[in-house]
Amino acid sequence: MPSTPPSDPAAPSASKDVIELISPDRLNPYLAACGGDPETALRLYRWNGELAAAFFEPLGHLEIMLRNALDARLVQRQQRRNRPSEWYDDRSVPLTPKARADIAEAHRRARRDGVATPRGKIIAELSFGFWRFLLVRQYRSSLWPDLAGAFPHAQNRAITTVEDPIKRLHKFRNRIAHHEGIWHLPLAARRDDIQTVLGFIAPDAASWVAETSRIDDVLIRRPV
């Protein structure tokens, strides 16, 4: 760890107020990792925020590309079955009650008084969790044969090949969204999961996201 100049004992410390506002309970894991030194713990806490911001951008790209790829496959599924309704409104599509509740909530959020709701708005209102839970073994024999086409560059058509990294990324994204610490997690592995899933969908998409990713730049600046 790089050395820091000694502080002036007569100078007031900014860290006390900062620690109180962040909350000692939230900072305790950082303090434990930094030998109880509050200044170093605050640097680690700040770096955790930089990490979260760096990851959130490619995770956002992944979420949008994933949902559009899956939506396209579900639209094609409806067309092959000569079903005129949208897949998310069609009760013949074998979705769980939880998925149906998520769709109803997406309709509610997207609705505007007196204006027809664009389908794209409804799709955008469906959370990352909704799409993640379409890629579970429960749908192996029903939806997965169609959804597998969203990942033409995966090494095989096993649902777990796609489900496993997306499950990890969903959990990871939720930690970031709830401002929880990620500094102690296998960050390079999560970076690779993002690239892996995007590569399954389209290698060009993976390259496009990687071009502007700030993750590696932040990783090398770890304070402790």
Side-chain angles (χ1 to χ4, degrees):
M1 183 181 71
S3 60
T4 56
S7 58
D8 179 356
S13 173
S15 62
K16 183 175 184 297
D17 287 341
V18 173
I19 287 171
E20 287 300 318
L21 288 167
I22 293 172
S23 88
D25 284 347
R26 178 174 285 270
L27 275 176
N28 276 340
Y30 299 87
L31 286 163
C34 299
D37 179 65
E39 296 293 344
T40 307
L42 285 173
R43 289 203 303 274
L44 182 59
Y45 183 83
R46 177 176 284 170
W47 182 73
N48 184 81
E50 293 179 38
L51 271 177
F55 268 101
F56 210 69
E57 183 178 1
L59 282 168
H61 292 317
L62 170 66
E63 179 176 352
I64 290 169
M65 293 177 180
L66 175 66
R67 77 185 182 208
N68 288 337
L70 293 175
D71 174 51
R73 298 302 302 180
L74 290 167
V75 168
Q76 291 176 26
R77 184 180 190 275
Q78 289 294 90
Q79 292 170 347
R80 282 196 301 274
R81 287 165 172 74
N82 295 315
R83 304 289 297 182
S85 59
E86 297 286 0
W87 63 264
Y88 47 79
D89 290 331
D90 189 341
R91 305 300 293 191
S92 74
V93 177
L95 296 172
T96 65
K98 174 64 169 63
R100 291 287 174 200
D102 288 344
I103 290 168
E105 178 62 16
H107 270 290
R108 187 192 67 76
R109 288 195 300 264
R111 191 175 300 118
R112 292 178 293 179
D113 292 340
V115 180
T117 305
R119 77 175 306 277
K121 179 66 174 170
I122 296 169
I123 295 300
E125 289 290 349
L126 292 168
S127 70
F128 190 16
F130 174 87
W131 304 104
R132 174 261 182 274
F133 284 108
L134 287 185
L135 301 170
V136 293
R137 277 159 260 199
Q138 178 176 349
Y139 293 121
R140 190 197 307 266
S141 62
S142 55
L143 295 181
W144 175 245
D146 293 286
L147 296 179
F151 309 98
H153 302 280
Q155 64 265 39
N156 57 55
R157 289 180 65 88
I159 191 170
T160 52
T161 297
V162 174
E163 178 192 6
D164 289 348
I166 291 177
K167 178 168 61 177
R168 291 191 294 266
L169 290 171
H170 178 243
K171 183 177 181 180
F172 183 67
R173 180 195 177 280
N174 283 349
R175 287 192 67 88
I176 293 174
H178 290 95
H179 312 294
E180 297 180 28
I182 59 170
W183 56 273
H184 57 296
L185 300 178
L187 299 166
R190 295 297 79 79
R191 174 204 60 203
D192 293 346
D193 279 341
I194 294 171
Q195 289 299 300
T196 294
V197 175
L198 287 170
F200 289 165
I201 298 170
D204 283 350
S207 298
W208 184 82
V209 171
E211 282 173 6
T212 57
S213 172
R214 296 179 292 117
I215 293 171
D216 287 344
D217 292 338
V218 176
L219 285 175
I220 62 175
R221 291 190 278 108
R222 185 183 183 100
V224 293

